[in-house]
Amino acid sequence: MSARRTRLLAAPLLALLVAPAARAEHGFILPSSTALAGDGNVVTFDAAGSDHVFFFDHRPLQLATIAVLRPDGSAGTPYNTLQGRFRSVFDLKLDQQGTWKVASVQTMIGGTFKLNGEERRVGGRGGPPRPQGGIGGPGGAGPDQRGGGDRPGGMADGRGPGAPGGDGPRRPPPVAFEDMPAEATDVHLIEDVRRAETFVTAGAPTTTVFTPTGKGLELDPITHPNAAAAGETARFRFLIDGKPASGLKVTVIPGGDRYRDEAGTIALTSGTDGIVAIRWPAAGMYWLGVEAEDRHPAQPRAETRRMSYAATIEVMTP
Amino acid sequence: MRPISLALAAGALIAPAGAAFAGTVTITLPRLAIAEYKKPYVAGWIEPAGGGTARSLFAWYDYRKTGNEPGTKWLSELRSWWRKSGRTLTLPADGITGATKGPGVYSVALPADLAPGQYVLSVEAARENGGRELVSVPLSVPADSGHASGKTELGAVVVAAK
């Protein structure tokens, strides 16, 4: 973690784009159960980005990024939604038998450009300026709001550091990608696609929700994620734009790392077929994370595409 | 492959012609010295020793309970059985579903149409506000017997070939 922070801070461009903590975090969606019997079960989910796996210590994943896929491939609708300071919460009624996918998918574009020789940052949602204060409550930004980079979604916030309060010299606020002027020069943009998923199965497992979209970094499981058991080996394939992605660094961390001296990280690298094999050492909730970067952003004005994928997998007792 | 009935009564088996195997598994549910005892959910299944499709033998659960939390809801607490066999069954399953049972000794017939080979017979029990235990017995078909014993939620599991 510290190495990554150092590397990011050493690269001024990247440090501008993404708060270091945001890249070091573990984004996850944590289900209350993954294997359900009978009809009409309800599962509740916590969605957060955190330092410790499955603890709520950093930020919520934005409710607006949550997408649910029912076993037949249609969209599902969460309810009882709440976005708190540290986590988002929602329920899902499993009104269809089979495997459901619950995901947070977020694409952000950040970077810099020059306008009349002045460098400007790109980020935020665009549109009219939002009122200061926001969810920080009356009186403006609360003590836990440290400027745009640390807000939920990182670049998704329109305010830059130093914007609240207005003391000291101001940098010009970031410009939303959609609002970039046509006469901008020296455009350097990064597309950042983040995906966090989990899977729950009512009754017998199905595979429709695993159908790849062919876009970005995706999981193409060979072993069904809801069939993971301690002592057994799961095989997962990773795809980038629908093709097997070799040489990916895959990180697997058992939950509960707050109570251990060592995180217990299992580090794997995908083979030429894009496959990693994970032997689950014990039962429990596991966080799986992958990051990749290439020069094939979907947005043509961007130069680089950064992709992150995370999955929460419950490993059962054998 | 047709599920067979619980052969608590002799003659319940309908063996296909030429079937060479007949056996029973006997399960002991221990008496537990605790204040609030709920009868456990118990399931048994048999699977090829080298891996393969598991076949349920019995599942004892509160199949009559309906409402907001029907008895089926807790079937996934039989984690191993649910993953390997239970979740692919249509429940209640003829010849498999049975009522929960209190402490005692129960016998269940093994399928008569088991092909010769190596198997593992497993029995799993899970109890409300209690523990969960899995007991497995290696089994060679035809003509083998074996036993294993649980420590907490299950007593002896005895396989006897006839």
Side-chain angles (χ1 to χ4, degrees), chain A residues 221-246:
Chain A
I222 297 165
T223 306
H224 196 294
N226 291 146
E232 296 187 3
T233 299
R235 285 157 57 81
F236 294 146
R237 179 188 284 120
F238 291 93
L239 308 175
I240 290 179
D241 293 340
K243 297 188 192 73
S246 62

Side-chain angles (χ1 to χ4, degrees), chain A residues 42 44 78-82 89-91:
Chain A
V42 175
T44 190
Y79 65 105
N80 288 344
T81 57
L82 164 79
V89 179
F90 51 94
D91 291 349

Side-chain angles (χ1 to χ4, degrees), chain B residues 47-90:
Chain B
E47 57 192 307
T53 306
R55 176 174 175 180
S56 286
L57 302 175
F58 61 92
W60 300 334
Y61 63 98
D62 198 354
Y63 65 90
R64 285 199 181 88
K65 186 169 183 285
T66 56
N68 193 34
E69 292 200 329
T72 50
K73 173 173 175 173
W74 309 107
L75 279 173
S76 54
E77 294 292 314
L78 296 167
R79 300 164 207 155
S80 194
W81 171 75
W82 184 249
R83 181 170 65 89
K84 291 184 170 180
S85 175
R87 62 183 177 181
T88 62
L89 295 174
T90 303

Side-chain angles (χ1 to χ4, degrees), chain A residues 231-310:
Chain A
E232 296 187 3
T233 299
R235 285 157 57 81
F236 294 146
R237 179 188 284 120
F238 291 93
L239 308 175
I240 290 179
D241 293 340
K243 297 188 192 73
S246 62
L248 288 181
K249 303 291 181 203
V250 178
T251 304
V252 178
I253 305 176
D257 60 327
R258 184 193 273 180
Y259 307 121
R260 297 191 298 266
D261 288 345
E262 310 248 333
T265 302
I266 304 168
L268 303 159
T269 304
S270 65
T272 51
D273 47 9
I275 294 174
V276 293
I278 306 162
R279 188 174 186 280
W280 307 107
M285 283 287 184
Y286 284 74
W287 182 87
L288 178 153
V290 193
E291 286 182 10
E293 188 172 312
D294 66 14
R295 297 269 169 189
H296 307 292
Q299 166 52 244
R301 296 190 74 179
E303 297 165 323
T304 302
R305 174 172 64 168
R306 305 168 110 210
M307 297 163 280
S308 72
Y309 178 89

